[in-house]
Amino acid sequence: MSALASSNNRPETSVLVIYTGGTAGMAYNKQGELVPMKFEQIRKKMPELNQLNMHVEVVSLGEPIDSSNVTMADWYKMALLIQENYARYDGFVVLHGTDTMAYSAAALSFLLENLGKTVVFTGAQVPVGGIRTDARRNLITALEIAVARNPTAGTVRVPEVCVFFNDLLIRGNRAKKVESQQYDAFRSENYPPLARAGIELEFNDEQIRLLPAARLHTHQHLDERITLLSLYPGLTERMIRAQLEVEGLRGCVLETYGSGNAPTSAWFLNCLREARERGVQVLNVSQCEEGRVIQGRYETSAQLTDLGIIGGDDITREAAIAKLMFVLGLGRSAAETSRLLTHNLRGEITLG
Ligand code: ASP
C-alpha cells in the first residue's frame, strides 16, 4: 500500500483517493491491450491535481486491476480503508474501472452503515493519457463533490456512496453501466440524479439521503453463496436445477420479465418451491431497466409470493446481488432475512 501527497494548498479540506485501477489509469501494452498503470504514472499525466484547492492523498488498494477482476475481498479492503481513515479525511474518492463500478458502489453502500461522509466512485472511458480522455474531468469533479458542504449548514452535502460519471452524480446502489462506447456510461433509471455537473455543480438536495448522526459501522462480511438466475424463453429444468441445487446455496436473485413475471408451469414452480424448502432466499428483480416488480399484478407472478419469494421493487440487479449477499451475511433467521430484504436499507429501493 503506497500513499502520496498530491497537493497541499488548503490542508483543511482533504480527500483520500482509493486507486483500484480501471481504464482511467490504463495504457496500451506491447500487444495493444489496455492494462492498468500505477497511480504515479497517472499523477504525472494530471498536473492539475497539484492545483486543487484541497489536500489529496492517494492510496492504492493493491496492484491496479481491470475491474472485471474485482472481488469481495477488494470490497472489504475498500470499506476498511474508509473506516480506518474516516476521521482524517473530509471525503473519499474511489477510482475504479467502469465494468463493475455499479456492483462495487452498491456493495460499499451496504458495508458502510451510517455513512456520514461522501464516498464517490469514478473512472473513465478513455485512459488519462488519451487526448480526449474523460479521466481528468471525472476525477476532478469527483474530488470537488467529495468535499462539498451544504452552503448554509456547513454539513456534508452528499453523505452517501455514489457514482460520478460524465455529468451525473448517482446514488451508488442505483447506478447501472449502460454504455461502453460513449462518455455517459452510467444511469439510474429509477431514482433521480443526486447532482448534475454543468458549469456549476447543481445538487438535488431533496433526493440526497440525510441520516441522523450516528457512528460509522463497517461490515466485513457478505455471503457469496448466492446465484443469479435470469429467465428467458427456452430455459430448461435441467439448467435451473444446475443452478439452484448447488450445495450450500443460500440465495438467488431471480431476474424475471416485466413487473416480476415468470412461467407458471408446474416444473418451474416446483424448482423454486424445492429451493425455498432448502432455505434458499429468492429476490425477484425485473429484467426491465425501468419500473418495478409488483408480485400479484399478473397471474404469472402471484404464485411467487405464495412461495415466499421477495419482490425486489425497483432495485437494480447490481444492488440486488449486493443486498442479498449483505443480508444473508448478517446471519439472521429466515424470517428476519426476508423482512430485511423487503426493507429499504440504503436508499436502494423506493417502496411501492
Ligand atoms: N475494463 C475496464 C474496467 O472496468 C473498463 C473501464 O474502466 O472503463 O476496469
Side-chain angles (χ1 to χ4, degrees), residues 3 18 37 87 100 107 111 122 134-135 175 202 220 230 240 250 252 262 272 285-286 294 343 347:
I18 300 175
M37 316 183 268
T100 59
L111 291 177
T122 196
D134 49 340
E202 280 171 33
Q220 282 284 291
S230 197
I240 293 182
R250 301 210 48 221
C252 169
L272 290 175
V285 173
S286 174
I294 307 172
H343 272 229

Side-chain angles (χ1 to χ4, degrees), residues 21-24 26 36 65-69 96-101 123-126 165 177:
T23 297
M26 288 192 183
I65 54 166
D66 183 303
S67 75
S68 304
N69 283 317
H96 194 288
T98 58
D99 289 347
T100 59
M101 190 186 292
Q125 295 283 60
V126 178
F165 216 87
K177 181 172 179 180

